[in-house]
Amino acid sequence: YFIVYEVMTAQEFNKLVVLLNEKLYRFAFRYLQDADQSQDAVQEIFIKLWNQRERLSELNSVEAFAIRVTRNHCLDVIKARRTVSLDDNDYFKDRISDDNDPEKELNKSDSLLKLTAIIEELGEPHRTVIRMRDVDGYSNEEVGDVLGLSAGNIRVVLSRARKKVRQELE
């Protein structure tokens, strides 16, 4: 017996995958910290996903799969260049409010830099889980799909990651 899957058309691919461009770029940028490399990574991810388009219709969440492929690709790029620079300062700059008090802004910026540094020192999967849940706003199920863990495991990892961050802040 052969199971025949309908191959996804270009139009369906655009609806499901290409619309994730911005989200995948931001995700890749947090790992690679280089705009050109992040854009290249997203293009390579699209090629990988296009080549696997017959499998995409079988998935519960194409987005979760795309994020997992992006994460794995970025980790491969980082390994290839043998340096790990995952500084999120640029990513967080636009999240600081436009308060007129320079001292408040400086304190917020310092706190944000310290928090970012603490998160960067976390090991995997703690770093990825806390980013995806607390920064990107993904659900436990979505994070679990990306990392291949159950939602219950994600809750445990997230709890431990937050505890480590709190301890370091104190």
Short mmCIF file of all heavy atoms in Angstrom, two decimals, residues 22 24 41 81 87 146 169:
data_model
loop_
_atom_site.label_atom_id
_atom_site.label_comp_id
_atom_site.label_asym_id
_atom_site.label_seq_id
_atom_site.Cartn_x
_atom_site.Cartn_y
_atom_site.Cartn_z
N GLU A 22 8.54 37.43 8.59
CA GLU A 22 8.94 38.39 9.64
C GLU A 22 9.26 37.67 10.96
O GLU A 22 10.26 37.94 11.61
CB GLU A 22 7.81 39.40 9.86
CG GLU A 22 8.08 40.39 10.96
CD GLU A 22 8.87 41.58 10.49
OE1 GLU A 22 8.97 41.80 9.27
OE2 GLU A 22 9.41 42.29 11.36
N LEU A 24 10.09 34.48 11.44
CA LEU A 24 11.29 33.66 11.30
C LEU A 24 12.55 34.52 11.27
O LEU A 24 13.58 34.16 11.83
CB LEU A 24 11.21 32.79 10.04
CG LEU A 24 10.11 31.73 10.02
CD1 LEU A 24 10.11 30.99 8.70
CD2 LEU A 24 10.22 30.79 11.19
N ALA A 41 19.39 33.10 6.19
CA ALA A 41 18.89 31.92 6.90
C ALA A 41 17.42 31.69 6.57
O ALA A 41 17.00 30.56 6.30
CB ALA A 41 19.09 32.09 8.40
N ARG A 81 30.70 28.92 12.68
CA ARG A 81 31.61 30.06 12.88
C ARG A 81 32.32 30.00 14.22
O ARG A 81 33.12 30.87 14.54
CB ARG A 81 30.89 31.38 12.66
CG ARG A 81 29.80 31.69 13.63
CD ARG A 81 29.14 33.00 13.31
NE ARG A 81 28.06 33.22 14.24
CZ ARG A 81 27.12 34.11 14.09
NH1 ARG A 81 27.13 34.88 13.06
NH2 ARG A 81 26.18 34.24 14.98
N ASP A 87 23.58 38.20 21.91
CA ASP A 87 23.26 39.40 22.66
C ASP A 87 21.97 39.99 22.11
O ASP A 87 21.88 40.33 20.94
CB ASP A 87 24.42 40.39 22.53
CG ASP A 87 24.22 41.62 23.38
OD1 ASP A 87 23.52 41.52 24.39
OD2 ASP A 87 24.77 42.66 23.03
N VAL A 146 8.11 23.13 18.97
CA VAL A 146 9.39 23.54 18.41
C VAL A 146 10.53 22.72 19.00
O VAL A 146 11.42 22.26 18.29
CB VAL A 146 9.65 25.05 18.66
CG1 VAL A 146 11.07 25.43 18.32
CG2 VAL A 146 8.67 25.89 17.86
N LEU A 169 19.08 37.99 39.57
CA LEU A 169 18.70 39.40 39.75
C LEU A 169 18.83 39.84 41.20
O LEU A 169 19.13 41.00 41.47
CB LEU A 169 17.28 39.64 39.24
CG LEU A 169 17.11 39.70 37.74
CD1 LEU A 169 15.62 39.78 37.38
CD2 LEU A 169 17.88 40.87 37.14
#
